[in-house]
Amino acid sequence: MVIIDQKYYLLFESQGIVRHYAPHEAIFMEEDEARYTYLIEEGRVRVFMNSKDGKETTLEILKAGRIFGDASFCEHSLRSVTIEAVVETRLVVVDTRRLVGVLHEHEELMVLMFQHLTESNQRMTHVLKRLIHYDATQKVADFILTSSEEDGTLPFTQQEMSECLALNRVTVSRVITKLKQQGLIQTSYGSIQIRNKQGLKALL
């Protein structure tokens, strides 16, 4: 997963504004004008869509070091999703026109941004595949595999998992218990750790 290194945080801050968001506070909504790019310095945000009947479908939860709002790179575009803070969150908000100028002066950051945006598109395609084609066990196993840190620790709660996977909390808990009994993961209060990555992959 491509993460923006903290050494670039001050550069973003010099071009934008630091803003703090409370849990469940909206950052932007579907159909809003897309003018700004956002860097998460602290916290997590939830990306979701609303159906006409008001049902929410969570697409992804983004953590520190991730960038979102890339629709603003296209002129006169509108937001296609709603994004809100999950926990207390600190963002740098940058007018995308200013950011483009900065990227011309910092080639390494430009390459990193392109990699980040490409990966984001690939991840969204994978998320749709998971929602459409996987059963409950496969959804949970895939989420653990694709969302864990390098040390195998999953930095998300079961509630956040259930929202991303379109499953209820009871189902997620039941699958996690089964995976633990099979020796594929281990759990402690508030965290999940991968024990057998190949075993999880074999479920997919």
Side-chain angles (χ1 to χ4, degrees):
M1 181 183 299
V2 178
I3 297 294
I4 301 300
D5 194 285
Q6 290 188 11
K7 68 181 181 181
Y8 292 115
Y9 284 14
L10 287 178
L11 178 60
F12 273 82
E13 290 179 10
S14 71
Q15 301 299 315
I17 300 172
V18 175
R19 291 183 178 168
H20 294 81
Y21 292 83
H24 309 298
E25 182 177 355
I27 297 161
F28 58 71
M29 303 182 70
E30 293 177 56
E31 303 301 322
D32 282 355
E33 181 183 3
R35 289 185 53 197
Y36 301 99
T37 300
Y38 301 78
L39 168 66
I40 308 172
E41 290 192 330
E42 296 177 5
R44 296 195 296 276
V45 303
R46 181 170 72 102
V47 184
F48 63 97
M49 301 179 71
N50 289 293
S51 65
K52 291 183 178 180
D53 60 3
K55 181 180 179 181
E56 295 180 357
T57 299
T58 299
L59 301 175
E60 193 172 12
I61 293 178
L62 307 177
K63 60 183 181 178
R66 298 292 300 278
I67 285 175
F68 63 92
D70 48 284
S72 58
F73 282 93
C74 301
E75 284 193 60
H76 311 300
S77 62
L78 301 177
R79 302 296 186 188
S80 59
V81 296
T82 297
I83 297 187
E84 68 175 17
V86 176
V87 295
E88 293 287 342
T89 298
R90 172 188 169 102
L91 304 177
V92 185
V93 186
V94 184
D95 187 306
T96 302
R97 291 170 296 183
R98 297 194 66 176
L99 181 59
V100 169
V102 171
L103 294 179
H104 282 299
E105 300 172 3
H106 296 81
E107 183 176 343
E108 181 183 1
L109 179 58
M110 180 185 291
V111 172
L112 194 60
M113 284 285 295
F114 279 126
Q115 291 174 339
H116 190 286
L117 296 176
T118 299
E119 183 185 76
S120 294
N121 289 332
Q122 292 173 338
R123 284 178 62 83
M124 196 56 59
T125 299
H126 184 79
V127 166
L128 293 175
K129 174 185 175 181
R130 181 169 64 203
L131 289 173
I132 295 170
H133 297 295
Y134 286 179
D135 62 26
T137 298
Q138 290 173 316
K139 285 180 178 180
V140 173
D142 183 69
F143 185 88
I144 293 171
L145 283 168
T146 58
S147 303
S148 292
E149 306 284 7
E150 291 185 3
D151 64 358
T153 301
L154 183 70
F156 299 108
T157 66
Q158 289 190 26
Q159 181 60 39
E160 290 168 344
M161 289 177 64
S162 67
E163 292 173 353
C164 287
L165 300 175
L167 299 171
N168 63 53
R169 176 74 179 274
V170 173
T171 299
V172 170
S173 179
R174 185 171 63 247
V175 173
I176 287 174
T177 298
K178 181 173 69 173
L179 297 179
K180 181 179 179 180
Q181 291 171 344
Q182 293 173 342
L184 302 178
I185 61 173
Q186 63 183 24
T187 62
S188 58
Y189 183 76
S191 69
I192 294 173
Q193 181 87 26
I194 295 175
R195 293 186 61 191
N196 185 344
K197 181 177 288 189
Q198 293 305 315
L200 287 172
K201 288 182 177 180
L203 297 174
L204 305 180

